Amino acid sequence: MLEINPHLNDLIADAQAGLQEYFGLKASTTATAPGRVNLIGEHIDYCDGLVLPLAIDRHIVIAAKTTAHDEVRIASDLSKESISFHVGAPVQPGEPRWSNYIRGVLRGFQNRGHQLPGFDAYIISSIPQGAGLSSSAALELAVATLLEGLLDTRLATREKALLCQQAEHEFAHVPCGIMDQFSSAFGRENRLVLIDCRSGIPDLVPFDNPDMTLLIANTMVSHELSDGIYAQRRKQTQQALAFLEKHSWRDVSIEELEASWRQLEEPINRRARHVVTEINRTVTAAEALAHNEFEVLGKLMAASHDSLRDDFEVSCKELDTLVEIARGIGRKGGVIGTRMTGGGFGGSTVTLCETRKSSQIADTLAAEYTKATGIRPQIFASRPSEGARLVH
Ligand code: GLA
């Protein structure tokens, strides 16, 4: 039941073969970017919080070659329809919707004064879409990295991630935080990316214990972040902060929040409680990890899930079902911690577990989830992997 991650070298070969078959071109430039999973620190990247994600061993790969015309043509295994648009003038949003992640990044380069060449490209992905694993941020970072190669220029990693976030805001209309793009840009093998979203500075934290495994379980129920709920949650946190007369959530204590509990209207007070407690949990989780206190981390993951379910209300029946099954397997069965990960309303859970029991845990998760919901989940393990880069 534990799905094997496709090897990155095979994805690269497939993207280059796709370019050859579809356009009859040999790739001059190939870029890759990973998806991410978040261990803890959910829905607080847009609240000046701390988040603790990692780049996963699932990737988007783009192989490309410049052409003599001013058109970009892209085919992929993401969708049956190929896309094309001109780059002689400022690139505009358009159809199909997924093309906006690409269009937005191209426009970001144009806004920085780059004249874009026409190119043909082929995209391959091993990141499940709509699974809360940031396939869109990976697509943005892969395109930005490809453009660095095609234009023979380099952006600072932080600037590249911010350009991609801006593309998501302005072309895909999702007011996301910085977690996904930073994870895909800064990810490193055997490292978590601890991001201080107030300073915008990532810190690479070791995560290299071979006895520990992260299992990602996809509910196969898809969420849509641009449908307004994400934006609404973000707005509610802004309302609460304004009411508390603070500039940053990092300056709000749980005591201060409790003192204003009644005046803050329901559900705004619960949204605020999630933010304050999740920031505290993430700080404690980073300390626990530094001291190899995995049991502490597991308890914090449990509290994080409960808070997302009850206070922030971004979980769903399927996510809760997977979490309950993993909790039922428990510490004796090798589960250390489990929670929903990503934006919510479907998508995936992340489970920290003992490596030697991971495949048995995956089997139990799959069997019981299917029994409860009639849906077959997708389950795979991932170690932290390398961030966006050009393939040489
Ligand atoms: C989505 C957003 C991120 C973050 C998460 C929730 O993935 O893109 O910026 O807010 O949801 O933690």
Side-chain angles (χ1 to χ4, degrees):
M1 270 304 176
L2 203 49
E3 192 178 286
I4 303 295
N5 295 317
H7 202 286
L8 180 56
N9 285 340
D10 293 336
L11 298 175
I12 292 168
D14 287 350
Q16 293 174 342
L19 187 72
Q20 181 74 52
E21 265 164 46
Y22 206 91
F23 296 106
L25 295 173
K26 189 172 168 357
S28 66
T29 311
T30 303
T32 79
R36 66 98 188 93
V37 71
N38 189 18
L39 202 53
I40 194 161
E42 212 69 80
H43 279 280
I44 53 170
D45 61 342
Y46 50 82
C47 295
D48 272 356
L50 283 141
V51 295
L52 195 52
L54 55 134
I56 56 173
D57 197 9
R58 293 273 174 156
H59 312 263
I60 298 246
V61 179
I62 311 186
K65 171 113 181 66
T66 50
T67 54
H69 42 81
D70 85 330
E71 201 181 11
V72 168
R73 298 187 301 183
I74 301 179
S76 80
D77 75 344
L78 299 173
S79 146
K80 282 203 180 70
E81 42 188 344
S82 61
I83 57 174
S84 70
F85 47 87
H86 291 274
V87 289
V91 174
Q92 303 298 330
E95 293 290 330
R97 273 175 70 186
W98 69 271
S99 74
N100 286 320
Y101 300 113
I102 300 171
R103 293 170 190 262
V105 172
L106 295 182
R107 179 62 178 272
F109 275 76
Q110 288 178 323
N111 290 347
R112 279 166 180 72
H114 290 285
Q115 191 119 36
L116 299 183
F119 62 87
D120 291 342
Y122 198 91
I123 304 180
I124 291 275
S125 173
S126 62
I127 311 172
Q129 286 177 58
L133 301 172
S134 293
S135 58
S136 50
L139 179 56
E140 291 153 8
L141 262 301
V143 172
T145 306
L146 180 81
L147 288 180
E148 289 182 306
L150 294 177
L151 294 164
D152 196 19
T153 184
R154 292 290 175 274
L155 302 184
T157 309
R158 187 167 184 279
E159 187 192 351
K160 184 163 70 168
L162 291 172
L163 182 156
C164 291
Q165 183 197 29
Q166 194 181 359
E168 182 126 0
H169 286 181
E170 291 174 6
F171 275 62
H173 304 297
V174 179
C176 63
I178 195 54
M179 173 168 77
D180 305 346
Q181 289 79 8
F182 264 38
S183 314
S184 187
F186 285 102
R188 279 275 283 285
E189 270 183 28
N190 295 323
R191 295 285 183 276
L192 304 179
V193 189
L194 175 64
I195 309 166
D196 181 333
C197 302
R198 177 159 65 172
S199 66
I201 296 175
D203 187 15
L204 296 170
V205 178
F207 189 82
D208 50 8
N209 186 336
D211 300 334
M212 296 293 153
T213 287
L214 289 171
L215 283 184
I216 295 164
N218 179 1
T219 59
M220 309 303 277
V221 179
S222 198
H223 64 278
E224 190 58 82
L225 289 184
S226 51
D227 69 359
I229 298 177
Y230 183 90
Q232 187 216 54
R233 290 293 186 280
R234 191 172 174 154
K235 208 165 150 212
Q236 289 174 331
T237 63
Q238 286 162 350
Q239 282 172 0
L241 192 64
F243 185 88
L244 294 165
E245 295 181 343
K246 297 278 182 171
H247 288 298
S248 172
W249 279 107
R250 296 285 274 282
D251 303 327
V252 181
S253 68
I254 192 74
E255 290 78 21
E256 282 171 310
L257 177 59
E258 274 162 7
S260 306
W261 191 257
R262 290 228 187 105
Q263 294 96 296
L264 268 174
E265 270 174 37
E266 162 73 22
I268 307 292
N269 45 14
R270 285 186 291 114
R271 306 290 188 251
R273 181 165 60 190
H274 169 72
V275 174
V276 174
T277 57
E278 186 77 352
I279 290 176
N280 290 341
R281 279 188 288 272
T282 309
V283 172
T284 314
E287 286 164 6
L289 253 179
H291 298 104
N292 285 321
E293 292 167 355
F294 291 104
E295 312 296 328
V296 175
L297 183 58
K299 292 204 173 85
L300 293 164
M301 289 172 77
S304 170
H305 183 80
D306 292 350
S307 176
L308 288 158
R309 183 194 58 208
D310 302 335
D311 278 351
F312 218 63
E313 295 181 282
V314 290
S315 188
C316 64
K317 192 171 81 277
E318 292 82 2
L319 285 167
D320 293 342
T321 301
L322 271 177
V323 164
E324 287 311 321
I325 297 166
R327 285 179 179 177
I329 297 169
R331 187 65 194 86
K332 276 210 184 109
V335 170
I336 297 161
T338 186
R339 56 181 287 277
M340 59 156 276
T341 187
F345 302 107
S348 303
T349 63
V350 58
T351 301
L352 178 67
C353 65
E354 287 176 48
T355 303
R356 62 195 177 96
K357 294 186 180 156
S358 57
S359 100
Q360 205 184 332
I361 293 169
D363 288 349
T364 308
L365 278 178
E368 297 205 3
Y369 180 72
T370 306
K371 202 162 103 192
T373 62
I375 306 168
R376 277 168 67 107
Q378 177 189 25
I379 305 179
F380 54 93
S382 185
R383 305 212 61 79
S385 78
E386 206 62 27
R389 63 191 171 85
L390 286 167
V391 177
H392 294 291

